Amino acid sequence: MNNFRFYAPTDIRFGKGQADCLPEELEKYGKRILMVYGGGSVKRSGLYDRLQELLKEFEIFELPGIEPNPKITSVRKGVEICKKEQIDVILAVGGGSCIDASKNIACGAFYEDDPWDLVLDRTKITKALPLAVVLTICATGSEMNNGAVISNEETNEKLEMGADVLYPKISICDPTYLYTLPPAQTAAGTADIMSHVLEQYFQPCDTAWLTDRLSEEVLKTCIRYCPVALEEPENYEARANLMWASTLGLNHILTAGKGGAWSCHPMEHQLSAFYDITHGAGLAILTPAWMRYVLCDRTAGRFALYARQVWDVEAEDDYQAAEEGICCTESFFRKIGLPSTLSEVGIGREHFREMAEKAVEVSGIAARSYFHLGAEDIIKIFESCLG
């Protein structure tokens, strides 16, 4: 088990009606709020009006229209508002995209130049506005971590950033806010949660027993409750368990004692940078393909363990068990309505080499991942996803 640091300073308020604490909590930082949100669902659900009423004693400025893969152009608009209006605190209302954009805005408010610089070089992040979150989509875990992913549409780049000053101060996690989620977002969010857990589960260190058992249970929670949430959108038990699985999936507890670079995320970031596809859908396509590509004598035991612990596969032969587990993974993603080929989302081979080389360039996939992959390997994985 590797040495690790676990630091999670975010105040999580989980359950029905927890947004009622926002006036008291936000007043600690000031009266001028920048509310960051995405499309019209926040207003259609009634949440926008509820927050306006709760925060009627505050001066609220708004940045709507945050994209599913948040763009640096939106971040720049937010930074401009923060500087011009002397914002005290940012309130992100939405899912990972809104939260990620808000993190870049929060530190960009104290940076004199382009906030994209802070994505390219995290050592330049020295200070940030306090950030509060009202979570409406469970997927990324951004509500309880210090990371963000930002896209630059001018350069076809989608990159990670992070710093301790970017942890949200408080996150409101009310499962009832998930009731109006479209089925596609529920499914894609679940695939994202599962991918986060799998990225941490398949790592060079296999001796973090407790961490791995926690990971398996989070995966089983997603498998159990996503179909229920799709069938019964207002099933509180299902929504609550998925929401907590999302937070646990990427608040760093599941990487404790593990370490190493990720594999499927660096590849998918290139797909959504070039094609702007839904992140979870891209992960659902790539994950089974990556599993099949890296299955070998060295990895068969680990994949067999995954199959037996998560999918209750009974095969005694490790290779057979591993293959069954991979098939179960792929079948589950299909069952919840996600695509299984790149062709289904309109992606061809024209940018494969460029995307593969960029994935290697911006990540540790070639040197620190569970199974080292070069650009040629990634191209072969992309090709296997064409269908």
Side-chain angles (χ1 to χ4, degrees), residues 148-170:
V149 179
I150 306 296
S151 295
N152 188 326
E153 60 270 49
E154 298 168 359
T155 60
N156 285 329
E157 291 180 287
K158 183 176 180 180
L159 302 175
E160 300 175 19
M161 63 180 297
D164 280 355
V165 295
L166 300 182
Y167 278 100
K169 299 297 185 182
I170 185 170

Side-chain angles (χ1 to χ4, degrees), residues 37-160:
Y37 57 97
S41 62
V42 172
K43 293 186 175 180
R44 290 193 299 271
S45 69
L47 178 57
Y48 175 88
D49 290 340
R50 173 62 179 151
L51 292 174
Q52 290 287 340
E53 175 62 26
L54 276 172
L55 302 173
K56 60 186 177 184
E57 301 300 324
F58 293 76
E59 191 169 3
I60 300 177
F61 302 84
E62 297 184 21
L63 178 65
I66 299 298
E67 308 85 355
N69 292 303
K71 306 290 192 295
I72 191 63
T73 47
S74 294
V75 170
R76 289 169 181 148
K77 292 176 185 177
V79 169
E80 183 179 355
I81 295 171
C82 287
K83 291 179 177 179
K84 179 182 177 182
E85 305 297 344
Q86 297 183 311
I87 296 297
D88 296 313
V89 57
I90 298 173
L91 177 63
V93 184
S97 297
C98 289
I99 305 169
D100 285 7
S102 296
K103 288 176 180 177
N104 198 176
I105 293 167
C107 55
F110 293 101
Y111 185 67
E112 291 303 316
D113 296 316
D114 188 4
W116 183 247
D117 296 345
L118 305 175
V119 180
L120 296 175
D121 184 0
R122 64 185 63 190
T123 65
K124 294 182 178 181
I125 304 172
T126 57
K127 190 176 180 181
L129 286 170
L131 170 63
V133 171
V134 177
L135 189 65
T136 66
I137 301 174
C138 59
T140 70
S142 193
E143 66 274 8
M144 197 181 174
N145 65 44
N146 64 345
V149 179
I150 306 296
S151 295
N152 188 326
E153 60 270 49
E154 298 168 359
T155 60
N156 285 329
E157 291 180 287
K158 183 176 180 180
L159 302 175
E160 300 175 19

